[in-house]
Each structure stands twice: as C-alpha cells, then as structure tokens.
Amino acid sequence: MSPLSTVSGVAPSLAQIGGFGPPRTELGVGALMPYNGALYVQNYNSHRAETGTGVSLRRVEEDFSMEKVPEAIGVDGTFTNRLVHFETGSLVIGPHVIEPDHTVHTVDELAQHRLCGTARHLTRPKTHVYVLTMEGLVFELELTTRQVVLLWDLNDELATEGEWKVHYKDCYSAHGRLVVCSNEYGEDDWAGTQSRGRLAEFDGTSWRIIEHKPFTAIGGRGDFTDTIFAAGWDAASAILEVYTARDDRWTRYRLPKASHTFDHKWQTEWPRIRETEHERLLVDHHGMFYELSPWAYGGRIWGLRPISTHLWVLGDFCSWKGMLVLGADNASPSGGKNVTTAEPQSGLWFGKTDDLWGFGKPSGWGGPWWREEVHAGEPSDPYLMTGFDNKCLHLENHGETSVTFDLEVDIHGDGHFRRSQRLTVEPGCLATHVFPSGFSAHWVRVVADTDTTASAQLFYT
C-alpha cells in the first residue's frame, strides 16, 4: 500500500504504533503541527516513560513518507503541547524546540514531565514561552538558550491535589492573561461532593479561579479578536466559557453532550479548539464537532453551530496542504486491562474540513439545570438551540411548591431573550414540552418565578 492510500480517510501506513513492551500501554497522537513543509506528529503513552515504549516525534514529508525524528528517539512520555513561536520561528512540540531548518533540540529538563500545553509569554513574548505539565507545574522556557525556570506549582496557587488526583490539560494566553485548565472528574464530582476541576487565569499579578469544573481545551485567535474560548462540562451539560476583552468578562454557555463516554477525566484526552480554516475555528467537544467564529459582538457569541457527532478520541487536528488532518488515540492494551488489543496503535485521518458534515448527525442532550438550586427571576445559562432537528425539554420541579417556568429564546444571538412558552410544574412533578417541528433559535434559557430546586434537560435528535 502506497503512503497515499487511505481507508475511509485513514492512512494505515502512517499509523503510530508503539513498542510491544512490556511495559505496553497506549500510543495516542498528542500533537500535530504543520511546520516548514513537514507535518510533525508527537505521540504519547499513558503516564510518563515507564508506562510504555515507542513514543517518538515523527515527521511526515510532502510525499507522505514518515520517519521517526532521530534526535527524539527514546524520549518516551506524555506530550501533547504544540506552539509555533512567531518571533524566533521555532516550533515547540513535546519537550523539543525545532528550528526553521528542522534542527531538533530536546530540552532534558522538560522531557521528564508530562507536557500538556505551551503558551506565549505575557511579559517576554519575543523570547520566552510558558510550558504547562499535567501535574500543574508551569515552566518558563527561553527559546534560544533553551533554559528552563519553574514559575508556579498550580497545586499551591489553585488548591489542587497533586499527582494522580490532578489532570491539567491545556494553557493559552491572550489579552494580558494566561489561562489554564484541568479536567478532574469522577463519581464524586458527578455526585457534587467534590469539584476538583479548574479553569483559572493569571492576570500578570495573581491567579484567579474562574470555574471549579472540569475543562479540557482553551483557544482563540490571540489578540486579533477579543475572545478566548474554554471547553468543559459538568453533570448538566457540556460548557463553553467565553472571555470577551471589550467588557473584561467571562460568559458561560451550555451545549449538548453527544456522548457520555467522555464524562471522565481519562476519557476526554485532548479535544481541541483549533483554527483549521483561515480565521475560522473548529471545536471538538464531548463527541461533537462545532464550527465557531472567533468574533464576538456586543460581548456575545452566536457563530457557533454543530457539525457532526463522533466516537473518536482525538488528541489533535490541523490543516496541512489544504487537508484536514485528525490524530486519534485508537487502541491500547492498557497495561493488560484490555485483553483484546495486542499493541498500542493510532491512526491519522486525511480529508477536507467539509467531510466532517458526513460524520454522525448532530444530536445530544443536556441543559442548564441538573438538580440545581434556582432563584426566582434569575435566568439559567443560555443553552445552544441552533443546528438540531427535533427538540424536547423535560422540566422537573424538585421543590415543595408549584413553580411557573418561562422558556425564553434568543433569536438574534446577542443576549436579547423573549418568552416563547410558559409551563407550570407541580412539586415533585415532571413536565415535558416538545418544540414544534422546525422550531429553533440561537439560544434558549429557563426562568423560574419561585425559588426551588429544578432540573431542565433538553434532548435533541
């Protein structure tokens, strides 16, 4: 089979295959980066070097031949960070700094850590970047000398709990702030007895926690627009937090979950918010692809539309040579826990962005409230309504008095809501509203006329 041969868009000859070991765990695609004619692929194993072999930085050339980068062979671990530094022209991917002539340097101090994010420096952007580890350490990396300095331990700054109980995932900087996230989530988080996840920002002076919820991806278009996007979730729904610099504010929007198989910190891996077409963002979030405009007007976004659903665990995706490239985490022996998989392996998919509309139909479930304490006259978070066919709302009143709920929709996308329906729900009862065929709006929200505990969950099919 030639390097250009594909099966349903997947190029088998470019599969990332790990060592048979032992040890033997996963080998997922952690980072993809087009760089000076080549496509760099950084793969990863499950937890540092001792959990698996065969991790390496790989380079795909224009003729679709692939090599393991010699300077990076033997550097095993978990690496999912990538950034092209404009001023020096350097590529930072995994623990490597690559020069424009493709000279590869490995930063030994970073190679021993699980690296999950790289971001532009707030005060020395021409020479330095930040590098975040999954354990919550933030390093400063000087790109010409490749000197490393530890700046923060986020377990101290954000009151997280350290290795095995912490799972930092991404970082991003723009508009004078460094934003980080972690996605701890398990039974106790679902039950509401703990909240280990974090979305937080450093404004140049101090750290501030934005959300005590699991978040997996942060992105945007830098200072070119006034927005920063962060993708997370909780028991009620998927979440998109949006920072708008014009009014210096974070706004929470809620989205459907396309699958519950992403509802654990180890199963979300590294979904991304990436620019894949010029000035257009592609979001992979909780089993669904979305298109997203990087612009906000009046401090609000409405250029968000579902594309398709999928079951793929995707560590990264990018545009290369006019194609969309998806990097998966497909099959893992999991240290012997998966007895039907012999070797760690993951594929690369090649196609065009519009092929995504041929994946699974947009559908999902979620809502603004999940056994939530709600207050009279206080609207819920806006929940995405556009781009889905059939829509059904279930309202449950967990309180002890009758409650009237207003369903309000935003047809402009600018935060201007008007009542569409009014439902009264008796205590301890459930009311179901099926929206008429073809009914849609940009966003929907719910407002109660009485303090209560309620659930509001929408199902889109």
Side-chain angles (χ1 to χ4, degrees):
M1 184 176 288
S2 73
L4 294 176
S5 297
T6 63
V7 179
S8 298
V10 178
S13 62
L14 301 180
Q16 310 292 296
I17 300 176
F20 193 72
R24 186 165 71 249
T25 58
E26 65 192 302
L27 195 80
V29 176
L32 294 170
M33 185 62 80
Y35 183 67
N36 238 6
L39 174 66
Y40 280 89
V41 183
Q42 176 66 65
N43 48 50
Y44 67 92
N45 59 12
S46 62
H47 191 91
R48 294 203 173 109
E50 62 271 15
T51 62
T53 60
V55 172
S56 67
L57 180 66
R58 304 183 187 189
R59 184 164 48 220
V60 181
E61 303 291 354
E62 294 184 7
D63 63 358
F64 279 73
S65 62
M66 182 177 67
E67 69 165 340
K68 295 182 179 180
V69 176
E71 300 92 331
I73 290 176
V75 184
D76 294 302
T78 306
F79 310 122
T80 66
N81 57 310
R82 71 283 186 274
L83 178 141
V84 174
H85 184 256
F86 184 79
E87 288 83 354
T88 64
S90 302
L91 165 62
V92 181
I93 185 167
H96 314 295
V97 178
I98 305 176
E99 299 182 39
D101 64 358
H102 297 284
T103 299
V104 177
H105 307 277
T106 298
V107 183
D108 293 335
E109 293 91 334
L110 295 178
Q112 60 186 307
H113 296 278
R114 299 196 295 166
L115 308 178
C116 62
T118 300
R120 290 182 59 81
H121 203 282
L122 294 181
T123 58
R124 291 187 280 183
K126 293 184 178 180
T127 54
H128 292 68
V129 295
Y130 300 113
V131 181
L132 173 67
T133 77
M134 292 186 69
E135 281 66 45
L137 304 180
V138 180
F139 292 97
E140 178 184 76
L141 171 63
E142 206 285 337
L143 292 172
T144 56
T145 64
R146 296 176 293 283
Q147 295 298 305
V148 175
V149 175
L150 176 63
L151 296 180
W152 299 285
D153 183 339
L154 296 181
N155 298 298
D156 298 329
E157 303 291 339
L158 305 179
T160 48
E161 298 178 69
E163 190 163 4
W164 296 110
K165 293 183 179 180
V166 73
H167 215 239
Y168 281 90
K169 301 299 287 186
D170 203 1
C171 63
Y172 179 80
S173 64
H175 307 297
R177 65 201 62 239
L178 171 65
V179 188
V180 302
C181 67
S182 65
N183 76 328
E184 293 81 21
Y185 192 83
E187 174 77 21
D188 292 339
D189 301 271
W190 174 84
T193 58
Q194 69 179 24
S195 52
R196 282 177 169 164
R198 295 288 187 273
L199 177 66
E201 64 180 1
F202 176 74
D203 63 3
T205 302
S206 60
W207 285 96
R208 180 179 78 91
I209 298 173
I210 302 164
E211 289 269 24
H212 289 80
K213 297 179 185 293
F215 278 77
T216 56
I218 313 168
R221 195 108 186 347
D223 293 333
F224 183 72
T225 63
D226 74 336
T227 52
I228 300 173
F229 303 97
W233 83 95
D234 59 13
S237 72
I239 294 171
L240 184 69
E241 280 278 357
V242 181
Y243 173 79
T244 47
R246 183 182 299 274
D247 49 8
D248 189 26
R249 183 181 66 188
W250 287 91
T251 301
R252 184 195 302 129
Y253 300 85
R254 290 188 174 270
L255 317 174
K257 294 179 180 181
S259 170
H260 278 316
T261 63
F262 296 86
D263 270 8
H264 188 276
K265 68 177 181 179
W266 293 341
Q267 290 180 247
T268 48
E269 293 301 297
W270 282 271
R272 302 290 190 177
I273 301 170
R274 271 279 219 169
E275 181 176 349
T276 53
E277 303 295 331
H278 180 57
E279 297 176 9
R280 287 152 178 82
L281 302 178
L282 182 64
V283 181
D284 176 24
H285 190 19
H286 236 81
M288 196 176 308
F289 280 113
Y290 298 85
E291 61 173 346
L292 173 64
S293 169
W295 298 97
Y297 295 95
R300 291 283 176 167
I301 63 159
W302 62 91
L304 177 70
R305 184 167 67 122
I307 297 172
S308 57
T309 60
H310 66 90
L311 190 59
W312 277 25
V313 178
L314 297 173
D316 203 2
F317 49 85
C318 68
S319 293
W320 184 57
K321 304 295 182 184
M323 298 174 293
L324 177 67
V325 186
L326 309 179
D329 188 352
N330 290 129
S332 168
S334 297
K337 297 177 181 64
N338 181 357
V339 298
T340 61
T341 298
E343 63 182 3
Q345 51 185 286
S346 296
L348 295 177
W349 179 94
F350 295 83
K352 65 179 188 295
T353 305
D354 287 356
D355 289 340
L356 296 179
W357 269 263
F359 287 16
K361 174 186 175 181
S363 62
W365 56 85
W369 295 335
W370 177 282
R371 299 186 178 96
E372 187 86 11
E373 290 187 10
V374 299
H375 302 286
E378 185 175 304
S380 72
D381 294 330
Y383 184 85
L384 186 68
M385 201 178 208
T386 190
F388 302 94
D389 289 341
N390 305 306
K391 305 177 183 69
C392 171
L393 168 68
H394 299 291
L395 270 173
E396 188 172 7
N397 178 8
H398 304 283
E400 298 178 352
T401 59
S402 177
V403 180
T404 296
F405 298 93
D406 283 346
L407 311 185
E408 300 181 343
V409 296
D410 179 358
I411 63 170
H412 301 95
D414 60 359
H416 178 76
F417 284 85
R418 283 292 178 262
R419 186 175 75 214
S420 171
Q421 192 76 25
R422 173 168 283 177
L423 299 173
T424 298
V425 186
E426 298 302 317
C429 293
L430 172 75
T432 297
H433 175 71
V434 178
F435 291 92
S437 177
F439 184 94
S440 195
H442 288 290
W443 304 96
V444 61
R445 71 184 189 185
V446 186
V447 186
D449 72 343
T450 304
D451 289 356
T452 189
T453 299
S455 295
Q457 291 286 293
L458 293 106
F459 287 74
Y460 295 159
T461 60

